[in-house]
Amino acid sequence: MGRFVLRRLLQSVVVLLGVTLVVFLLLQLVPGDPVRVALGTRFDQQTYDALRERSGLDRPLVVQYLSYVGHALTGDLGVSFRSGQPVTSIVLERLPATGSLSVTAVLFALLVAFPLGVLSAMRSGSFVDHAARVFSQFGVSVPDFWMGIMGILLFAGVLGWLPPSGYVALTDDPAGWASHVALPAAAVGLVTASILTRFIRSSVLEVLAEDYVRTAEAKGLRRRVVIVRHVLRNALIPVVTVVAVQLASLVGGVIVIEVLFAWPGVGRLTYDAVQARDYPVLQGAVLFVATLFLLMNLLVDVLYARLDPRITLR
């Protein structure tokens, strides 16, 4: 186990180096001067040259990239062009907002997808099964921002039950946080639930066709015991991968939802960095999301070995 984790961590470093190189090269193709955007419309040449030199943009591209990687290995992701604050602290400040939204959305998705997927598989071909598949197809086809807009119109505009946008920290006001997170979490969670419903249904159907399930039923075990001990325990192992990947993707992939609901998370930070040509912040946000993906994949592999003794890590 220790050797496996160490090898995966070393491989992750190589992958992150590739991510930093791709992002760095792509940023060079983006039109616009980040220094001019940071200074605004009124500045003199001396101020422009000073900020460009301080940001390291006057050096060759190879030197810029190597300098960035060297500092990143020590945890220094640079300084924001716009605010002058360290990128690491900016990303960490936005992490609680995105983390709370992502976790809430995944929990909401599991509450919907788990019973719906299992019930659909247990009653394959029934009305419940058809309804579950229609819901799943609808959730996959409809974008989350459309659901967010419909939620704002209905629950904030017509009914007035929930605020249309904004953010309240969980530690400051739990009730206020819950009312503000409900709409964005539901918009994202419904899409995630549709994906999980299809996956859970397929996984349960596959396990129901296994010989050991028929053997357990032939021995006279009650249906509930067979489902809980044999079917769900084995069917939900692959679901761990989907849940982990969905959680990691939500942390870096809810940009539109965070902009729509004025949610101050990592996605909104990335959007603002693109608008302002704030390259250090954009690079730091992408690097953070890539690191999270790699760590979640490593965690899934370790959990697989713990949940299924047949799996060995080498």
Side-chain angles (χ1 to χ4, degrees):
M1 177 71 73
R3 292 181 179 179
F4 172 80
V5 173
L6 179 59
R7 185 171 66 253
R8 286 293 300 271
L9 290 176
L10 294 176
Q11 293 173 353
S12 299
V13 173
V14 177
V15 173
L16 290 177
L17 288 175
V19 170
T20 58
L21 179 59
V22 172
V23 174
F24 179 82
L25 294 177
L26 289 177
L27 289 179
Q28 308 309 314
L29 303 177
V30 177
D33 189 344
V35 177
R36 293 183 181 274
V37 175
L39 291 176
T41 57
R42 296 182 179 181
F43 60 89
D44 53 30
Q45 188 63 35
Q46 184 178 1
T47 304
Y48 174 84
D49 294 337
L51 181 56
R52 187 174 177 82
E53 181 180 358
R54 188 181 66 184
S55 304
L57 297 178
D58 59 333
R59 295 179 292 179
L61 293 180
V62 176
V63 178
Q64 292 183 39
Y65 175 72
L66 294 178
S67 176
Y68 175 78
V69 171
H71 286 87
L73 292 176
T74 63
D76 181 10
L77 299 179
V79 178
S80 170
F81 290 160
R82 185 171 53 176
S83 65
Q85 297 178 336
V87 173
T88 304
S89 63
I90 295 176
V91 174
L92 292 179
E93 286 176 1
R94 300 295 187 99
L95 182 59
T98 295
S100 62
L101 173 59
S102 301
V103 172
T104 305
V106 170
L107 291 177
F108 175 82
L110 287 174
L111 289 176
V112 174
F114 182 77
L116 190 60
V118 173
L119 190 61
S120 175
M122 298 300 300
R123 300 182 180 180
S124 178
S126 65
F127 172 78
V128 175
D129 183 29
H130 291 298
R133 285 189 283 179
V134 169
F135 162 76
S136 179
Q137 189 64 37
F138 174 80
V140 173
S141 304
V142 176
D144 52 8
F145 70 84
W146 184 86
M147 292 188 181
I149 294 175
M150 294 299 102
I152 292 175
L153 292 176
L154 177 60
F155 295 101
V158 178
L159 300 177
W161 292 351
L162 298 171
S165 62
Y167 170 73
V168 177
L170 176 61
T171 54
D172 295 339
D173 183 8
W177 169 84
S179 63
H180 282 82
V181 80
L183 282 179
V188 177
L190 284 175
V191 177
T192 306
S194 63
I195 299 173
L196 292 178
T197 299
R198 300 176 66 176
F199 201 90
I200 292 174
R201 177 183 180 275
S202 299
S203 184
V204 172
L205 284 175
E206 182 179 353
V207 175
L208 285 173
E210 294 291 339
D211 292 337
Y212 61 82
V213 174
R214 289 194 291 267
T215 302
E217 293 177 338
K219 289 182 178 180
L221 293 178
R222 290 184 298 177
R223 184 69 170 174
R224 181 181 300 178
V225 176
V226 174
I227 296 300
V228 174
R229 291 186 180 180
H230 299 282
V231 176
L232 293 183
R233 184 176 180 180
N234 293 281
L236 295 183
I237 292 178
V239 179
V240 174
T241 302
V242 182
V243 173
V245 172
Q246 287 295 316
L247 179 59
S249 63
L250 289 180
V251 172
V254 289
I255 297 178
V256 177
I257 289 296
E258 289 188 354
V259 172
L260 177 63
F261 288 95
W263 195 266
V266 178
R268 179 64 183 268
L269 176 66
T270 305
Y271 174 81
D272 292 340
V274 173
Q275 293 290 97
R277 304 296 192 274
D278 200 342
Y279 294 167
V281 174
L282 182 58
Q283 287 176 299
V286 173
L287 184 61
F288 167 78
V289 174
T291 302
L292 181 62
F293 261 101
L294 293 172
L295 291 178
M296 292 300 291
N297 286 332
L298 176 59
L299 178 62
V300 167
D301 290 338
V302 174
L303 286 177
Y304 259 29
R306 295 297 184 184
L307 295 175
D308 192 346
R310 299 170 296 179
I311 299 176
T312 58
L313 301 178
R314 298 178 180 177

PDB file of all heavy atoms in Angstrom, residues 188-214:
ATOM      1  N   VAL A 188     -27.311  22.092  -9.284  1.00  0.00           N
ATOM      2  CA  VAL A 188     -26.179  21.219  -9.598  1.00  0.00           C
ATOM      3  C   VAL A 188     -26.493  19.776  -9.220  1.00  0.00           C
ATOM      4  O   VAL A 188     -26.135  18.830  -9.939  1.00  0.00           O
ATOM      5  CB  VAL A 188     -24.917  21.707  -8.867  1.00  0.00           C
ATOM      6  CG1 VAL A 188     -23.752  20.771  -9.131  1.00  0.00           C
ATOM      7  CG2 VAL A 188     -24.555  23.113  -9.299  1.00  0.00           C
ATOM      8  N   GLY A 189     -27.168  19.582  -8.089  1.00  0.00           N
ATOM      9  CA  GLY A 189     -27.435  18.243  -7.592  1.00  0.00           C
ATOM     10  C   GLY A 189     -28.371  17.443  -8.473  1.00  0.00           C
ATOM     11  O   GLY A 189     -28.228  16.219  -8.584  1.00  0.00           O
ATOM     12  N   LEU A 190     -29.324  18.094  -9.126  1.00  0.00           N
ATOM     13  CA  LEU A 190     -30.241  17.365 -10.007  1.00  0.00           C
ATOM     14  C   LEU A 190     -29.510  16.771 -11.208  1.00  0.00           C
ATOM     15  O   LEU A 190     -29.797  15.646 -11.623  1.00  0.00           O
ATOM     16  CB  LEU A 190     -31.361  18.297 -10.473  1.00  0.00           C
ATOM     17  CG  LEU A 190     -32.454  18.609  -9.446  1.00  0.00           C
ATOM     18  CD1 LEU A 190     -33.427  19.643  -9.995  1.00  0.00           C
ATOM     19  CD2 LEU A 190     -33.190  17.338  -9.047  1.00  0.00           C
ATOM     20  N   VAL A 191     -28.572  17.528 -11.757  1.00  0.00           N
ATOM     21  CA  VAL A 191     -27.779  16.995 -12.867  1.00  0.00           C
ATOM     22  C   VAL A 191     -26.923  15.829 -12.393  1.00  0.00           C
ATOM     23  O   VAL A 191     -26.832  14.788 -13.047  1.00  0.00           O
ATOM     24  CB  VAL A 191     -26.907  18.108 -13.478  1.00  0.00           C
ATOM     25  CG1 VAL A 191     -26.027  17.550 -14.587  1.00  0.00           C
ATOM     26  CG2 VAL A 191     -27.775  19.239 -14.005  1.00  0.00           C
ATOM     27  N   THR A 192     -26.281  15.993 -11.245  1.00  0.00           N
ATOM     28  CA  THR A 192     -25.463  14.911 -10.689  1.00  0.00           C
ATOM     29  C   THR A 192     -26.313  13.705 -10.334  1.00  0.00           C
ATOM     30  O   THR A 192     -25.896  12.559 -10.540  1.00  0.00           O
ATOM     31  CB  THR A 192     -24.711  15.410  -9.448  1.00  0.00           C
ATOM     32  OG1 THR A 192     -23.964  16.594  -9.777  1.00  0.00           O
ATOM     33  CG2 THR A 192     -23.749  14.358  -8.925  1.00  0.00           C
ATOM     34  N   ALA A 193     -27.512  13.948  -9.813  1.00  0.00           N
ATOM     35  CA  ALA A 193     -28.404  12.840  -9.450  1.00  0.00           C
ATOM     36  C   ALA A 193     -28.810  12.028 -10.672  1.00  0.00           C
ATOM     37  O   ALA A 193     -28.932  10.795 -10.594  1.00  0.00           O
ATOM     38  CB  ALA A 193     -29.641  13.383  -8.743  1.00  0.00           C
ATOM     39  N   SER A 194     -29.024  12.686 -11.789  1.00  0.00           N
ATOM     40  CA  SER A 194     -29.403  11.956 -13.000  1.00  0.00           C
ATOM     41  C   SER A 194     -28.277  11.034 -13.462  1.00  0.00           C
ATOM     42  O   SER A 194     -28.519   9.911 -13.915  1.00  0.00           O
ATOM     43  CB  SER A 194     -29.766  12.945 -14.100  1.00  0.00           C
ATOM     44  OG  SER A 194     -28.645  13.739 -14.456  1.00  0.00           O
ATOM     45  N   ILE A 195     -27.038  11.498 -13.329  1.00  0.00           N
ATOM     46  CA  ILE A 195     -25.891  10.661 -13.700  1.00  0.00           C
ATOM     47  C   ILE A 195     -25.767   9.481 -12.745  1.00  0.00           C
ATOM     48  O   ILE A 195     -25.576   8.327 -13.163  1.00  0.00           O
ATOM     49  CB  ILE A 195     -24.608  11.506 -13.706  1.00  0.00           C
ATOM     50  CG1 ILE A 195     -24.712  12.630 -14.737  1.00  0.00           C
ATOM     51  CG2 ILE A 195     -23.385  10.637 -13.983  1.00  0.00           C
ATOM     52  CD1 ILE A 195     -23.555  13.611 -14.700  1.00  0.00           C
ATOM     53  N   LEU A 196     -25.882   9.751 -11.450  1.00  0.00           N
ATOM     54  CA  LEU A 196     -25.740   8.686 -10.461  1.00  0.00           C
ATOM     55  C   LEU A 196     -26.882   7.683 -10.551  1.00  0.00           C
ATOM     56  O   LEU A 196     -26.680   6.485 -10.322  1.00  0.00           O
ATOM     57  CB  LEU A 196     -25.673   9.294  -9.060  1.00  0.00           C
ATOM     58  CG  LEU A 196     -24.433  10.115  -8.724  1.00  0.00           C
ATOM     59  CD1 LEU A 196     -24.539  10.691  -7.321  1.00  0.00           C
ATOM     60  CD2 LEU A 196     -23.172   9.265  -8.845  1.00  0.00           C
ATOM     61  N   THR A 197     -28.090   8.142 -10.878  1.00  0.00           N
ATOM     62  CA  THR A 197     -29.232   7.236 -10.978  1.00  0.00           C
ATOM     63  C   THR A 197     -28.996   6.178 -12.050  1.00  0.00           C
ATOM     64  O   THR A 197     -29.231   4.981 -11.834  1.00  0.00           O
ATOM     65  CB  THR A 197     -30.515   8.026 -11.292  1.00  0.00           C
ATOM     66  OG1 THR A 197     -30.771   8.950 -10.230  1.00  0.00           O
ATOM     67  CG2 THR A 197     -31.697   7.084 -11.444  1.00  0.00           C
ATOM     68  N   ARG A 198     -28.534   6.605 -13.200  1.00  0.00           N
ATOM     69  CA  ARG A 198     -28.261   5.657 -14.282  1.00  0.00           C
ATOM     70  C   ARG A 198     -27.151   4.694 -13.893  1.00  0.00           C
ATOM     71  O   ARG A 198     -27.221   3.495 -14.187  1.00  0.00           O
ATOM     72  CB  ARG A 198     -27.878   6.428 -15.548  1.00  0.00           C
ATOM     73  CG  ARG A 198     -28.948   7.363 -16.038  1.00  0.00           C
ATOM     74  CD  ARG A 198     -28.500   8.178 -17.227  1.00  0.00           C
ATOM     75  NE  ARG A 198     -28.272   7.352 -18.410  1.00  0.00           N
ATOM     76  CZ  ARG A 198     -27.956   7.835 -19.590  1.00  0.00           C
ATOM     77  NH1 ARG A 198     -27.818   9.140 -19.761  1.00  0.00           N
ATOM     78  NH2 ARG A 198     -27.771   7.032 -20.624  1.00  0.00           N
ATOM     79  N   PHE A 199     -26.130   5.218 -13.238  1.00  0.00           N
ATOM     80  CA  PHE A 199     -25.001   4.366 -12.874  1.00  0.00           C
ATOM     81  C   PHE A 199     -25.395   3.363 -11.793  1.00  0.00           C
ATOM     82  O   PHE A 199     -25.020   2.180 -11.858  1.00  0.00           O
ATOM     83  CB  PHE A 199     -23.842   5.239 -12.398  1.00  0.00           C
ATOM     84  CG  PHE A 199     -22.516   4.558 -12.465  1.00  0.00           C
ATOM     85  CD1 PHE A 199     -21.734   4.635 -13.607  1.00  0.00           C
ATOM     86  CD2 PHE A 199     -22.033   3.822 -11.395  1.00  0.00           C
ATOM     87  CE1 PHE A 199     -20.512   3.994 -13.682  1.00  0.00           C
ATOM     88  CE2 PHE A 199     -20.820   3.185 -11.460  1.00  0.00           C
ATOM     89  CZ  PHE A 199     -20.049   3.263 -12.598  1.00  0.00           C
ATOM     90  N   ILE A 200     -26.140   3.800 -10.784  1.00  0.00           N
ATOM     91  CA  ILE A 200     -26.567   2.900  -9.712  1.00  0.00           C
ATOM     92  C   ILE A 200     -27.501   1.830 -10.263  1.00  0.00           C
ATOM     93  O   ILE A 200     -27.395   0.650  -9.910  1.00  0.00           O
ATOM     94  CB  ILE A 200     -27.235   3.702  -8.576  1.00  0.00           C
ATOM     95  CG1 ILE A 200     -26.199   4.579  -7.871  1.00  0.00           C
ATOM     96  CG2 ILE A 200     -27.903   2.773  -7.576  1.00  0.00           C
ATOM     97  CD1 ILE A 200     -26.789   5.516  -6.837  1.00  0.00           C
ATOM     98  N   ARG A 201     -28.421   2.219 -11.125  1.00  0.00           N
ATOM     99  CA  ARG A 201     -29.342   1.253 -11.715  1.00  0.00           C
ATOM    100  C   ARG A 201     -28.581   0.183 -12.486  1.00  0.00           C
ATOM    101  O   ARG A 201     -28.842  -1.018 -12.325  1.00  0.00           O
ATOM    102  CB  ARG A 201     -30.331   1.961 -12.644  1.00  0.00           C
ATOM    103  CG  ARG A 201     -31.298   1.037 -13.360  1.00  0.00           C
ATOM    104  CD  ARG A 201     -32.200   1.800 -14.312  1.00  0.00           C
ATOM    105  NE  ARG A 201     -33.129   0.890 -14.981  1.00  0.00           N
ATOM    106  CZ  ARG A 201     -32.837   0.201 -16.077  1.00  0.00           C
ATOM    107  NH1 ARG A 201     -31.626   0.314 -16.622  1.00  0.00           N
ATOM    108  NH2 ARG A 201     -33.747  -0.602 -16.619  1.00  0.00           N
ATOM    109  N   SER A 202     -27.643   0.584 -13.329  1.00  0.00           N
ATOM    110  CA  SER A 202     -26.877  -0.384 -14.119  1.00  0.00           C
ATOM    111  C   SER A 202     -26.039  -1.286 -13.225  1.00  0.00           C
ATOM    112  O   SER A 202     -25.947  -2.505 -13.471  1.00  0.00           O
ATOM    113  CB  SER A 202     -25.975   0.359 -15.108  1.00  0.00           C
ATOM    114  OG  SER A 202     -26.731   1.146 -15.998  1.00  0.00           O
ATOM    115  N   SER A 203     -25.450  -0.711 -12.180  1.00  0.00           N
ATOM    116  CA  SER A 203     -24.608  -1.503 -11.294  1.00  0.00           C
ATOM    117  C   SER A 203     -25.420  -2.529 -10.520  1.00  0.00           C
ATOM    118  O   SER A 203     -25.011  -3.690 -10.365  1.00  0.00           O
ATOM    119  CB  SER A 203     -23.861  -0.576 -10.331  1.00  0.00           C
ATOM    120  OG  SER A 203     -22.977  -1.296  -9.512  1.00  0.00           O
ATOM    121  N   VAL A 204     -26.601  -2.128 -10.037  1.00  0.00           N
ATOM    122  CA  VAL A 204     -27.455  -3.057  -9.289  1.00  0.00           C
ATOM    123  C   VAL A 204     -27.968  -4.163 -10.205  1.00  0.00           C
ATOM    124  O   VAL A 204     -28.014  -5.348  -9.819  1.00  0.00           O
ATOM    125  CB  VAL A 204     -28.617  -2.298  -8.625  1.00  0.00           C
ATOM    126  CG1 VAL A 204     -29.619  -3.274  -8.012  1.00  0.00           C
ATOM    127  CG2 VAL A 204     -28.096  -1.360  -7.552  1.00  0.00           C
ATOM    128  N   LEU A 205     -28.368  -3.820 -11.415  1.00  0.00           N
ATOM    129  CA  LEU A 205     -28.837  -4.837 -12.362  1.00  0.00           C
ATOM    130  C   LEU A 205     -27.727  -5.842 -12.674  1.00  0.00           C
ATOM    131  O   LEU A 205     -27.996  -7.056 -12.800  1.00  0.00           O
ATOM    132  CB  LEU A 205     -29.308  -4.174 -13.652  1.00  0.00           C
ATOM    133  CG  LEU A 205     -30.664  -3.469 -13.607  1.00  0.00           C
ATOM    134  CD1 LEU A 205     -30.939  -2.758 -14.923  1.00  0.00           C
ATOM    135  CD2 LEU A 205     -31.776  -4.470 -13.300  1.00  0.00           C
ATOM    136  N   GLU A 206     -26.518  -5.373 -12.790  1.00  0.00           N
ATOM    137  CA  GLU A 206     -25.401  -6.274 -13.078  1.00  0.00           C
ATOM    138  C   GLU A 206     -25.162  -7.243 -11.930  1.00  0.00           C
ATOM    139  O   GLU A 206     -24.921  -8.443 -12.147  1.00  0.00           O
ATOM    140  CB  GLU A 206     -24.144  -5.449 -13.348  1.00  0.00           C
ATOM    141  CG  GLU A 206     -22.924  -6.283 -13.709  1.00  0.00           C
ATOM    142  CD  GLU A 206     -21.713  -5.426 -14.001  1.00  0.00           C
ATOM    143  OE1 GLU A 206     -21.850  -4.183 -14.058  1.00  0.00           O
ATOM    144  OE2 GLU A 206     -20.613  -5.985 -14.166  1.00  0.00           O
ATOM    145  N   VAL A 207     -25.239  -6.752 -10.702  1.00  0.00           N
ATOM    146  CA  VAL A 207     -25.013  -7.621  -9.544  1.00  0.00           C
ATOM    147  C   VAL A 207     -26.179  -8.593  -9.363  1.00  0.00           C
ATOM    148  O   VAL A 207     -25.976  -9.752  -8.972  1.00  0.00           O
ATOM    149  CB  VAL A 207     -24.810  -6.775  -8.274  1.00  0.00           C
ATOM    150  CG1 VAL A 207     -24.706  -7.657  -7.031  1.00  0.00           C
ATOM    151  CG2 VAL A 207     -23.549  -5.928  -8.406  1.00  0.00           C
ATOM    152  N   LEU A 208     -27.398  -8.172  -9.646  1.00  0.00           N
ATOM    153  CA  LEU A 208     -28.557  -9.060  -9.510  1.00  0.00           C
ATOM    154  C   LEU A 208     -28.453 -10.275 -10.422  1.00  0.00           C
ATOM    155  O   LEU A 208     -29.043 -11.338 -10.123  1.00  0.00           O
ATOM    156  CB  LEU A 208     -29.843  -8.290  -9.826  1.00  0.00           C
ATOM    157  CG  LEU A 208     -30.346  -7.318  -8.761  1.00  0.00           C
ATOM    158  CD1 LEU A 208     -31.517  -6.506  -9.288  1.00  0.00           C
ATOM    159  CD2 LEU A 208     -30.743  -8.070  -7.493  1.00  0.00           C
ATOM    160  N   ALA A 209     -27.714 -10.145 -11.505  1.00  0.00           N
ATOM    161  CA  ALA A 209     -27.570 -11.266 -12.440  1.00  0.00           C
ATOM    162  C   ALA A 209     -26.436 -12.211 -12.072  1.00  0.00           C
ATOM    163  O   ALA A 209     -26.239 -13.223 -12.752  1.00  0.00           O
ATOM    164  CB  ALA A 209     -27.332 -10.725 -13.855  1.00  0.00           C
ATOM    165  N   GLU A 210     -25.714 -11.912 -10.986  1.00  0.00           N
ATOM    166  CA  GLU A 210     -24.590 -12.767 -10.590  1.00  0.00           C
ATOM    167  C   GLU A 210     -25.096 -14.073  -9.967  1.00  0.00           C
ATOM    168  O   GLU A 210     -26.187 -14.130  -9.387  1.00  0.00           O
ATOM    169  CB  GLU A 210     -23.696 -12.027  -9.587  1.00  0.00           C
ATOM    170  CG  GLU A 210     -22.982 -10.814 -10.171  1.00  0.00           C
ATOM    171  CD  GLU A 210     -21.919 -11.199 -11.170  1.00  0.00           C
ATOM    172  OE1 GLU A 210     -21.445 -12.363 -11.135  1.00  0.00           O
ATOM    173  OE2 GLU A 210     -21.550 -10.344 -12.012  1.00  0.00           O
ATOM    174  N   ASP A 211     -24.254 -15.094 -10.055  1.00  0.00           N
ATOM    175  CA  ASP A 211     -24.637 -16.419  -9.529  1.00  0.00           C
ATOM    176  C   ASP A 211     -24.775 -16.422  -8.012  1.00  0.00           C
ATOM    177  O   ASP A 211     -25.654 -17.100  -7.465  1.00  0.00           O
ATOM    178  CB  ASP A 211     -23.595 -17.460  -9.954  1.00  0.00           C
ATOM    179  CG  ASP A 211     -23.599 -17.709 -11.458  1.00  0.00           C
ATOM    180  OD1 ASP A 211     -24.645 -17.440 -12.088  1.00  0.00           O
ATOM    181  OD2 ASP A 211     -22.563 -18.145 -11.995  1.00  0.00           O
ATOM    182  N   TYR A 212     -23.916 -15.664  -7.318  1.00  0.00           N
ATOM    183  CA  TYR A 212     -23.977 -15.720  -5.852  1.00  0.00           C
ATOM    184  C   TYR A 212     -25.266 -15.095  -5.326  1.00  0.00           C
ATOM    185  O   TYR A 212     -25.721 -15.436  -4.225  1.00  0.00           O
ATOM    186  CB  TYR A 212     -22.747 -15.059  -5.224  1.00  0.00           C
ATOM    187  CG  TYR A 212     -22.567 -13.598  -5.541  1.00  0.00           C
ATOM    188  CD1 TYR A 212     -23.245 -12.596  -4.839  1.00  0.00           C
ATOM    189  CD2 TYR A 212     -21.684 -13.189  -6.529  1.00  0.00           C
ATOM    190  CE1 TYR A 212     -23.061 -11.266  -5.112  1.00  0.00           C
ATOM    191  CE2 TYR A 212     -21.484 -11.859  -6.817  1.00  0.00           C
ATOM    192  CZ  TYR A 212     -22.178 -10.898  -6.109  1.00  0.00           C
ATOM    193  OH  TYR A 212     -21.985  -9.572  -6.380  1.00  0.00           O
ATOM    194  N   VAL A 213     -25.872 -14.196  -6.086  1.00  0.00           N
ATOM    195  CA  VAL A 213     -27.144 -13.625  -5.661  1.00  0.00           C
ATOM    196  C   VAL A 213     -28.252 -14.668  -5.807  1.00  0.00           C
ATOM    197  O   VAL A 213     -29.086 -14.841  -4.901  1.00  0.00           O
ATOM    198  CB  VAL A 213     -27.474 -12.362  -6.482  1.00  0.00           C
ATOM    199  CG1 VAL A 213     -28.874 -11.849  -6.143  1.00  0.00           C
ATOM    200  CG2 VAL A 213     -26.447 -11.277  -6.232  1.00  0.00           C
ATOM    201  N   ARG A 214     -28.246 -15.384  -6.923  1.00  0.00           N
ATOM    202  CA  ARG A 214     -29.245 -16.441  -7.102  1.00  0.00           C
ATOM    203  C   ARG A 214     -29.033 -17.564  -6.086  1.00  0.00           C
ATOM    204  O   ARG A 214     -30.001 -18.161  -5.599  1.00  0.00           O
ATOM    205  CB  ARG A 214     -29.147 -16.991  -8.526  1.00  0.00           C
ATOM    206  CG  ARG A 214     -29.643 -16.022  -9.579  1.00  0.00           C
ATOM    207  CD  ARG A 214     -29.858 -16.734 -10.912  1.00  0.00           C
ATOM    208  NE  ARG A 214     -28.577 -17.149 -11.490  1.00  0.00           N
ATOM    209  CZ  ARG A 214     -27.878 -16.428 -12.361  1.00  0.00           C
ATOM    210  NH1 ARG A 214     -28.350 -15.242 -12.738  1.00  0.00           N
ATOM    211  NH2 ARG A 214     -26.742 -16.870 -12.857  1.00  0.00           N
TER     212      ARG A 214
END
